[in-house]
Amino acid sequence: MEMYPRYVVEESRLRRNLELICRIEEEAGVEFIVAFKAFALWKTFPIFQEYGFGSTASSPWEARLGFEGLTRRAHAFSPAYRHADWAEWTRYCSHITFNSLGQYRALYDAGADVSYGVRINPGYSPVETDLYNPALPGSRFGLSPEDLQGHLPEGVEGLHLHVLCEGNSFQLEKVLSFVEQRFAGPLAEARWLNLGGGHLVTHKEYDVNHLIAVLKAFRQRHPKVHLILEPGSAFAWQTGFLESHVMDLVTHDGITTAILDVSFTCHMPDCLEMPYKPVVRGAHQEPVEGLPTYRLGGNSCLSGDYLGDWSFDTPLSIGDTIIFEDMIHYTTVKTNLFNGVAHPDLILRQLDGTDKLLRHFDYADYKERMD
Protein backbone atom coordinates (compact mmCIF):
# COMPACT_ATOMS: atom_id res chain seq x y z
CA MET A 1 0.00 0.00 0.00
CA GLU A 2 1.37 3.41 -0.96
CA MET A 3 2.09 5.64 2.02
CA TYR A 4 1.12 9.26 2.42
CA PRO A 5 3.43 11.83 4.04
CA ARG A 6 2.45 12.63 7.64
CA TYR A 7 3.02 15.18 10.35
CA VAL A 8 2.98 13.12 13.55
CA VAL A 9 2.44 14.87 16.90
CA GLU A 10 3.49 12.70 19.84
CA GLU A 11 1.15 13.31 22.77
CA SER A 12 3.64 12.16 25.40
CA ARG A 13 6.21 14.71 24.23
CA LEU A 14 3.60 17.46 24.00
CA ARG A 15 2.46 16.82 27.56
CA ARG A 16 6.06 16.83 28.76
CA ASN A 17 6.47 20.35 27.39
CA LEU A 18 3.18 21.56 28.86
CA GLU A 19 4.08 20.20 32.28
CA LEU A 20 7.46 21.96 32.25
CA ILE A 21 5.88 25.26 31.24
CA CYS A 22 3.30 24.87 34.01
CA ARG A 23 6.11 24.37 36.51
CA ILE A 24 7.80 27.59 35.39
CA GLU A 25 4.49 29.45 35.69
CA GLU A 26 3.95 28.25 39.23
CA GLU A 27 7.50 28.75 40.52
CA ALA A 28 8.09 32.12 38.85
CA GLY A 29 4.59 33.50 39.36
CA VAL A 30 4.10 34.39 35.68
CA GLU A 31 1.67 33.53 32.89
CA PHE A 32 2.42 31.59 29.70
CA ILE A 33 0.14 31.67 26.65
CA VAL A 34 0.61 29.82 23.36
CA ALA A 35 1.33 31.71 20.13
CA PHE A 36 -0.79 30.31 17.32
CA LYS A 37 1.69 31.60 14.73
CA ALA A 38 3.84 28.60 15.68
CA PHE A 39 1.24 26.01 16.65
CA ALA A 40 -2.48 26.02 15.90
CA LEU A 41 -3.50 22.36 15.61
CA TRP A 42 -6.87 22.92 17.25
CA LYS A 43 -7.73 19.24 17.49
CA THR A 44 -5.04 18.98 20.18
CA PHE A 45 -6.50 21.90 22.16
CA PRO A 46 -8.38 19.63 24.60
CA ILE A 47 -4.92 18.64 25.87
CA PHE A 48 -3.97 22.32 26.30
CA GLN A 49 -7.23 22.96 28.15
CA GLU A 50 -6.23 20.41 30.79
CA TYR A 51 -3.30 22.70 31.66
CA GLY A 52 -5.26 25.96 31.50
CA PHE A 53 -3.31 27.75 28.78
CA GLY A 54 -4.64 30.73 26.89
CA SER A 55 -3.41 32.09 23.57
CA THR A 56 -1.99 35.07 21.75
CA ALA A 57 -3.30 36.17 18.36
CA SER A 58 -2.13 38.38 15.51
CA SER A 59 -5.27 38.19 13.37
CA PRO A 60 -9.03 38.02 13.96
CA TRP A 61 -9.05 34.38 12.89
CA GLU A 62 -6.38 33.45 15.42
CA ALA A 63 -8.28 35.35 18.10
CA ARG A 64 -11.50 33.51 17.30
CA LEU A 65 -9.68 30.17 17.27
CA GLY A 66 -8.33 30.85 20.75
CA PHE A 67 -11.76 31.85 22.01
CA GLU A 68 -13.46 28.80 20.52
CA GLY A 69 -10.70 26.24 21.00
CA LEU A 70 -9.29 27.20 24.40
CA THR A 71 -12.50 28.81 25.75
CA ARG A 72 -10.58 31.92 26.79
CA ARG A 73 -10.28 35.36 25.24
CA ALA A 74 -6.91 35.88 23.59
CA HIS A 75 -4.12 38.43 23.99
CA ALA A 76 -3.68 40.28 20.70
CA PHE A 77 -0.93 42.08 18.88
CA SER A 78 -1.12 43.10 15.23
CA PRO A 79 1.03 45.60 13.30
CA ALA A 80 -2.27 47.27 12.37
CA TYR A 81 -5.95 46.64 13.06
CA ARG A 82 -8.63 47.07 10.40
CA HIS A 83 -11.50 49.27 11.62
CA ALA A 84 -14.04 46.85 10.17
CA ASP A 85 -12.62 44.01 12.33
CA TRP A 86 -12.56 45.96 15.60
CA ALA A 87 -15.77 44.46 16.99
CA GLU A 88 -14.30 40.99 16.44
CA TRP A 89 -11.05 41.92 18.16
CA THR A 90 -12.79 43.27 21.23
CA ARG A 91 -15.15 40.30 21.41
CA TYR A 92 -12.48 37.60 21.25
CA CYS A 93 -9.60 39.36 23.06
CA SER A 94 -9.08 40.35 26.68
CA HIS A 95 -5.81 42.21 25.93
CA ILE A 96 -5.05 44.25 22.82
CA THR A 97 -1.66 45.82 22.11
CA PHE A 98 -1.24 48.75 19.72
CA ASN A 99 1.87 49.04 17.58
CA SER A 100 1.62 52.82 17.13
CA LEU A 101 0.14 55.86 18.80
CA GLY A 102 -1.79 56.55 15.60
CA GLN A 103 -3.68 53.25 15.93
CA TYR A 104 -4.18 53.88 19.64
CA ARG A 105 -5.80 57.24 18.92
CA ALA A 106 -7.94 55.83 16.10
CA LEU A 107 -9.23 52.70 17.85
CA TYR A 108 -8.97 53.06 21.62
CA ASP A 109 -12.40 52.51 23.17
CA ALA A 110 -12.65 53.16 26.89
CA GLY A 111 -15.97 51.32 27.03
CA ALA A 112 -14.68 48.00 25.74
CA ASP A 113 -13.95 45.15 28.14
CA VAL A 114 -10.29 45.10 27.12
CA SER A 115 -6.95 45.80 28.77
CA TYR A 116 -4.91 47.86 26.31
CA GLY A 117 -1.15 47.86 25.82
CA VAL A 118 1.46 49.37 23.54
CA ARG A 119 4.37 47.61 21.95
CA ILE A 120 7.81 48.99 22.72
CA ASN A 121 11.16 48.55 20.99
CA PRO A 122 13.91 48.08 23.60
CA GLY A 123 16.52 48.90 20.96
CA TYR A 124 18.21 45.55 21.43
CA SER A 125 17.73 42.06 20.05
CA PRO A 126 20.18 39.14 20.03
CA VAL A 127 18.60 37.70 16.86
CA GLU A 128 21.23 37.42 14.14
CA THR A 129 18.94 36.55 11.21
CA ASP A 130 17.56 39.83 9.84
CA LEU A 131 14.32 38.17 8.71
CA TYR A 132 13.45 37.53 12.37
CA ASN A 133 15.00 40.58 14.00
CA PRO A 134 12.36 43.18 15.06
CA ALA A 135 14.88 45.67 16.47
CA LEU A 136 16.77 46.55 13.29
CA PRO A 137 17.11 50.27 12.44
CA GLY A 138 13.87 51.46 10.92
CA SER A 139 11.87 48.56 12.35
CA ARG A 140 8.12 48.89 11.86
CA PHE A 141 7.57 47.35 15.32
CA GLY A 142 7.17 49.16 18.60
CA LEU A 143 7.44 52.58 20.19
CA SER A 144 10.65 54.28 21.30
CA PRO A 145 11.16 55.98 24.68
CA GLU A 146 10.87 59.30 22.84
CA ASP A 147 7.45 58.29 21.47
CA LEU A 148 6.12 57.66 24.98
CA GLN A 149 7.86 60.61 26.68
CA GLY A 150 8.05 58.83 29.99
CA HIS A 151 4.38 57.84 30.37
CA LEU A 152 1.77 55.40 29.18
CA PRO A 153 -1.01 56.87 27.04
CA GLU A 154 -4.28 57.44 28.86
CA GLY A 155 -6.21 54.20 29.36
CA VAL A 156 -3.24 51.98 28.47
CA GLU A 157 -2.30 49.44 31.15
CA GLY A 158 0.43 47.32 29.64
CA LEU A 159 3.65 47.09 27.67
CA HIS A 160 4.50 44.48 25.07
CA LEU A 161 7.80 43.54 23.43
CA HIS A 162 9.10 40.73 21.28
CA VAL A 163 12.80 40.66 20.43
CA LEU A 164 13.83 37.00 20.89
CA CYS A 165 13.89 34.01 18.55
CA GLU A 166 14.67 30.62 20.10
CA GLY A 167 16.29 32.68 22.85
CA ASN A 168 17.65 31.74 26.27
CA SER A 169 17.22 33.14 29.77
CA PHE A 170 20.46 35.14 29.69
CA GLN A 171 19.32 36.98 26.57
CA LEU A 172 16.00 37.70 28.26
CA GLU A 173 17.82 39.03 31.30
CA LYS A 174 19.67 41.49 29.07
CA VAL A 175 16.44 42.50 27.33
CA LEU A 176 14.82 43.26 30.68
CA SER A 177 17.73 45.48 31.64
CA PHE A 178 17.18 47.53 28.47
CA VAL A 179 13.47 47.84 29.25
CA GLU A 180 14.15 48.98 32.81
CA GLN A 181 16.70 51.55 31.65
CA ARG A 182 14.89 52.94 28.61
CA PHE A 183 11.23 52.67 29.70
CA ALA A 184 11.43 53.28 33.45
CA GLY A 185 8.52 55.72 33.51
CA PRO A 186 5.98 53.65 31.52
CA LEU A 187 7.06 50.50 33.37
CA ALA A 188 6.34 52.15 36.72
CA GLU A 189 2.77 52.86 35.52
CA ALA A 190 2.12 49.45 33.91
CA ARG A 191 -0.08 46.69 35.27
CA TRP A 192 1.36 44.07 32.93
CA LEU A 193 4.39 43.42 30.75
CA ASN A 194 4.16 40.94 27.90
CA LEU A 195 7.63 39.59 27.07
CA GLY A 196 6.52 38.17 23.73
CA GLY A 197 7.77 34.94 22.27
CA GLY A 198 11.10 33.37 21.41
CA HIS A 199 11.62 31.80 24.85
CA LEU A 200 12.74 28.27 24.01
CA VAL A 201 12.23 27.00 27.56
CA THR A 202 11.72 23.36 26.53
CA HIS A 203 15.09 23.06 24.80
CA LYS A 204 17.25 20.52 26.61
CA GLU A 205 20.01 23.12 27.16
CA TYR A 206 17.73 25.90 28.40
CA ASP A 207 18.57 26.99 31.95
CA VAL A 208 15.08 26.85 33.45
CA ASN A 209 16.27 27.60 36.98
CA HIS A 210 18.03 30.75 35.80
CA LEU A 211 14.87 31.83 33.98
CA ILE A 212 12.80 31.39 37.12
CA ALA A 213 15.35 33.39 39.12
CA VAL A 214 15.35 36.21 36.52
CA LEU A 215 11.56 36.42 36.47
CA LYS A 216 11.23 36.32 40.25
CA ALA A 217 13.87 39.04 40.65
CA PHE A 218 12.07 41.25 38.13
CA ARG A 219 8.77 40.74 39.97
CA GLN A 220 10.43 41.73 43.23
CA ARG A 221 11.66 44.97 41.62
CA HIS A 222 8.26 45.60 40.02
CA PRO A 223 5.64 43.96 42.25
CA LYS A 224 2.68 45.65 40.52
CA VAL A 225 3.58 44.24 37.09
CA HIS A 226 2.08 40.94 35.92
CA LEU A 227 4.51 39.12 33.58
CA ILE A 228 3.25 37.31 30.48
CA LEU A 229 5.30 35.15 28.10
CA GLU A 230 3.91 33.94 24.79
CA PRO A 231 6.23 31.45 23.10
CA GLY A 232 5.07 29.28 20.24
CA SER A 233 7.94 26.93 19.48
CA ALA A 234 8.48 26.04 23.14
CA PHE A 235 5.06 24.41 23.37
CA ALA A 236 5.61 22.19 20.32
CA TRP A 237 9.42 21.83 20.46
CA GLN A 238 10.55 18.25 19.72
CA THR A 239 6.97 16.97 19.84
CA GLY A 240 6.86 15.22 16.49
CA PHE A 241 8.15 14.68 12.99
CA LEU A 242 7.38 14.83 9.29
CA GLU A 243 7.40 11.43 7.63
CA SER A 244 8.14 11.39 3.91
CA HIS A 245 9.02 8.80 1.29
CA VAL A 246 11.47 8.49 -1.61
CA MET A 247 9.63 8.74 -4.93
CA ASP A 248 12.61 8.78 -7.30
CA LEU A 249 16.41 8.91 -7.41
CA VAL A 250 18.10 11.06 -10.04
CA THR A 251 21.81 11.66 -10.64
CA HIS A 252 23.32 14.62 -12.48
CA ASP A 253 26.88 15.98 -12.38
CA GLY A 254 27.84 13.55 -9.65
CA ILE A 255 24.97 14.59 -7.32
CA THR A 256 22.24 12.08 -6.52
CA THR A 257 18.97 13.59 -5.38
CA ALA A 258 16.29 11.64 -3.56
CA ILE A 259 13.02 13.22 -4.66
CA LEU A 260 10.48 13.02 -1.84
CA ASP A 261 6.70 13.20 -1.57
CA VAL A 262 7.04 16.36 0.54
CA SER A 263 8.29 19.82 -0.33
CA PHE A 264 10.60 22.16 1.53
CA THR A 265 8.88 25.21 0.09
CA CYS A 266 5.37 23.87 0.78
CA HIS A 267 5.86 21.96 4.03
CA MET A 268 9.14 23.12 5.61
CA PRO A 269 9.53 26.73 4.43
CA ASP A 270 11.64 27.85 7.40
CA CYS A 271 14.38 25.50 6.21
CA LEU A 272 14.74 27.71 3.13
CA GLU A 273 13.93 31.05 4.77
CA MET A 274 16.10 30.95 7.90
CA PRO A 275 17.81 28.82 6.53
CA TYR A 276 18.53 25.70 8.55
CA LYS A 277 19.20 22.04 7.89
CA PRO A 278 16.77 19.72 9.67
CA VAL A 279 17.79 16.50 11.37
CA VAL A 280 16.98 13.37 9.36
CA ARG A 281 16.44 10.30 11.48
CA GLY A 282 19.11 7.66 10.97
CA ALA A 283 21.21 9.82 8.64
CA HIS A 284 24.55 11.55 9.06
CA GLN A 285 23.90 15.28 9.09
CA GLU A 286 27.04 16.00 7.09
CA PRO A 287 28.44 13.97 4.19
CA VAL A 288 30.67 11.08 5.17
CA GLU A 289 33.25 10.00 2.63
CA GLY A 290 32.63 6.47 1.44
CA LEU A 291 28.95 6.36 2.46
CA PRO A 292 25.95 6.76 0.13
CA THR A 293 25.23 10.50 0.05
CA TYR A 294 22.09 12.22 -1.21
CA ARG A 295 20.64 15.64 -1.72
CA LEU A 296 17.00 15.67 -0.58
CA GLY A 297 14.62 17.32 -3.02
CA GLY A 298 10.99 18.33 -2.78
CA ASN A 299 8.22 17.52 -5.23
CA SER A 300 7.33 21.04 -6.33
CA CYS A 301 8.56 22.69 -9.52
CA LEU A 302 10.60 25.34 -7.64
CA SER A 303 14.23 24.82 -8.67
CA GLY A 304 15.44 25.62 -5.16
CA ASP A 305 13.11 23.15 -3.44
CA TYR A 306 15.93 21.04 -2.03
CA LEU A 307 18.50 20.79 0.73
CA GLY A 308 21.58 18.65 1.09
CA ASP A 309 23.60 16.69 1.68
CA TRP A 310 23.06 13.76 4.03
CA SER A 311 24.90 10.43 4.14
CA PHE A 312 23.23 7.11 4.94
CA ASP A 313 24.72 3.83 6.11
CA THR A 314 23.00 1.96 3.26
CA PRO A 315 21.82 3.15 -0.17
CA LEU A 316 18.34 4.61 -0.46
CA SER A 317 15.69 2.93 -2.58
CA ILE A 318 12.41 4.14 -4.01
CA GLY A 319 9.74 3.77 -1.33
CA ASP A 320 12.10 4.26 1.62
CA THR A 321 10.89 6.39 4.52
CA ILE A 322 12.70 9.65 5.33
CA ILE A 323 11.80 11.23 8.68
CA PHE A 324 12.52 14.89 9.40
CA GLU A 325 12.71 15.42 13.15
CA ASP A 326 11.09 18.27 15.09
CA MET A 327 8.74 19.39 12.34
CA ILE A 328 5.60 20.41 14.24
CA HIS A 329 6.22 24.02 15.30
CA TYR A 330 5.80 26.59 12.53
CA THR A 331 5.75 23.99 9.72
CA THR A 332 2.14 22.99 10.33
CA VAL A 333 0.95 26.61 10.24
CA LYS A 334 3.13 27.69 7.31
CA THR A 335 2.21 24.95 4.86
CA ASN A 336 0.93 26.21 1.54
CA LEU A 337 -0.67 24.75 -1.58
CA PHE A 338 1.87 25.99 -4.12
CA ASN A 339 1.74 23.73 -7.19
CA GLY A 340 -1.28 21.98 -5.70
CA VAL A 341 1.07 19.82 -3.66
CA ALA A 342 -1.11 18.18 -1.02
CA HIS A 343 -0.57 18.81 2.66
CA PRO A 344 0.72 15.82 4.65
CA ASP A 345 -1.80 14.07 6.88
CA LEU A 346 -2.08 15.31 10.47
CA ILE A 347 -1.63 12.52 13.02
CA LEU A 348 -1.77 12.42 16.82
CA ARG A 349 0.25 9.57 18.30
CA GLN A 350 -1.69 8.97 21.50
CA LEU A 351 -0.35 7.92 24.88
CA ASP A 352 -1.16 4.26 24.17
CA GLY A 353 0.96 4.38 21.00
CA THR A 354 -1.93 4.33 18.54
CA ASP A 355 -2.09 6.87 15.72
CA LYS A 356 -5.24 8.98 15.41
CA LEU A 357 -5.87 10.63 12.06
CA LEU A 358 -6.72 14.30 12.69
CA ARG A 359 -6.98 15.34 9.05
CA HIS A 360 -6.42 14.01 5.53
CA PHE A 361 -6.36 16.64 2.79
CA ASP A 362 -7.80 16.10 -0.68
CA TYR A 363 -8.47 17.90 -3.95
CA ALA A 364 -11.42 19.79 -2.48
CA ASP A 365 -9.06 21.58 -0.06
CA TYR A 366 -7.00 22.87 -2.98
CA LYS A 367 -9.97 23.78 -5.16
CA GLU A 368 -11.74 25.65 -2.35
CA ARG A 369 -8.53 27.52 -1.51
CA MET A 370 -8.50 28.86 -5.08
CA ASP A 371 -12.24 29.65 -5.10
Side-chain angles (χ1 to χ4, degrees):
M1 182 177 68
E2 191 165 4
M3 300 291 290
Y4 288 98
R6 313 187 303 164
Y7 291 110
V8 180
V9 181
E10 299 174 84
E11 183 178 349
S12 61
R13 291 173 175 262
L14 178 60
R15 287 184 179 274
R16 176 197 61 196
N17 286 353
L18 300 183
E19 288 165 5
L20 174 59
I21 292 170
C22 278
R23 179 171 77 84
I24 298 171
E25 278 190 322
E26 182 177 351
E27 294 188 19
V30 300
E31 179 182 5
F32 275 78
I33 52 181
V34 58
F36 285 168
K37 67 178 181 180
F39 184 84
L41 295 180
W42 58 269
K43 289 186 178 179
T44 67
F45 285 1
I47 299 173
F48 281 76
Q49 287 187 37
E50 292 180 33
Y51 298 87
F53 290 113
S55 64
T56 178
S58 291
S59 67
W61 290 355
E62 284 188 338
R64 182 175 177 178
L65 184 63
F67 182 79
E68 294 179 347
L70 295 175
T71 65
R72 289 176 56 181
R73 296 168 77 202
H75 294 228
F77 167 78
S78 178
Y81 300 93
R82 191 191 310 271
H83 289 242
D85 298 331
W86 193 242
E88 252 190 305
W89 283 110
T90 56
R91 176 185 178 187
Y92 296 126
C93 298
S94 60
H95 295 65
I96 296 178
T97 294
F98 294 111
N99 187 52
S100 73
L101 294 178
Q103 282 253 297
Y104 155 74
R105 297 185 188 104
L107 293 169
Y108 172 77
D109 178 5
D113 181 22
V114 170
S115 179
Y116 293 104
V118 289
R119 178 162 175 166
I120 57 174
N121 183 348
Y124 162 77
S125 172
V127 178
E128 296 180 354
T129 303
D130 285 355
L131 184 64
Y132 300 101
N133 187 341
L136 292 173
S139 173
R140 74 187 195 279
F141 289 132
L143 301 174
S144 69
E146 293 72 28
D147 291 325
L148 290 178
Q149 297 183 343
H151 296 282
L152 289 178
E154 183 179 356
V156 170
E157 299 180 321
L159 297 170
H160 178 285
L161 61 96
H162 186 157
V163 293
L164 298 180
C165 178
E166 297 187 358
N168 60 47
S169 60
F170 298 93
Q171 293 171 336
L172 175 60
E173 187 173 31
K174 187 172 181 179
V175 169
L176 288 174
S177 71
F178 272 81
V179 173
E180 289 177 307
Q181 293 167 22
R182 304 190 72 213
F183 294 91
L187 184 59
E189 299 171 351
R191 291 180 54 192
W192 52 266
L193 171 62
N194 187 321
L195 298 174
H199 315 276
L200 198 51
V201 300
T202 49
H203 191 287
K204 63 182 180 180
E205 295 179 359
Y206 195 98
D207 192 334
V208 170
N209 291 330
H210 180 255
L211 171 67
I212 292 171
V214 167
L215 296 175
K216 290 175 70 174
F218 185 90
R219 289 182 57 238
Q220 289 173 353
R221 295 193 300 273
H222 309 279
K224 296 180 182 179
V225 178
H226 175 59
L227 287 178
I228 304 160
L229 295 87
E230 49 179 43
S233 295
F235 283 90
W237 184 258
Q238 295 287 349
T239 59
F241 54 88
L242 174 58
E243 178 183 297
S244 66
H245 311 93
V246 178
M247 299 178 69
D248 197 8
L249 296 164
V250 296
T251 301
H252 298 289
D253 301 319
I255 297 173
T256 300
T257 300
I259 300 180
L260 308 176
D261 58 359
V262 296
S263 161
F264 290 98
T265 192
C266 295
H267 308 136
M268 297 173 278
D270 276 355
C271 293
L272 301 180
E273 291 175 3
M274 192 166 223
Y276 78 96
K277 187 177 182 182
V279 173
V280 173
R281 186 178 299 180
H284 301 272
Q285 288 304 108
E286 299 299 331
V288 177
E289 187 174 355
L291 290 181
T293 299
Y294 302 86
R295 171 180 291 176
L296 299 182
N299 62 338
S300 80
C301 70
L302 178 69
S303 298
D305 189 2
Y306 69 87
L307 281 176
D309 297 308
W310 286 264
S311 291
F312 295 79
D313 292 330
T314 57
L316 294 179
S317 300
I318 294 174
D320 282 353
T321 296
I322 301 292
I323 291 178
F324 295 93
E325 302 284 15
D326 194 25
M327 279 293 156
I328 302 303
H329 57 92
Y330 279 104
T331 53
T332 51
V333 294
K334 283 192 169 185
T335 52
N336 61 75
L337 289 170
F338 172 65
N339 255 183
V341 176
H343 294 330
D345 289 348
L346 299 176
I347 304 292
L348 177 64
R349 180 157 294 170
Q350 301 173 109
L351 294 178
D352 63 3
T354 60
D355 287 347
K356 179 181 179 181
L357 177 65
L358 302 181
R359 181 74 184 271
H360 174 73
F361 299 88
D362 57 24
Y363 169 67
D365 296 294
Y366 171 66
K367 185 178 180 182
E368 291 171 7
R369 179 77 166 269
M370 301 298 110
D371 191 353

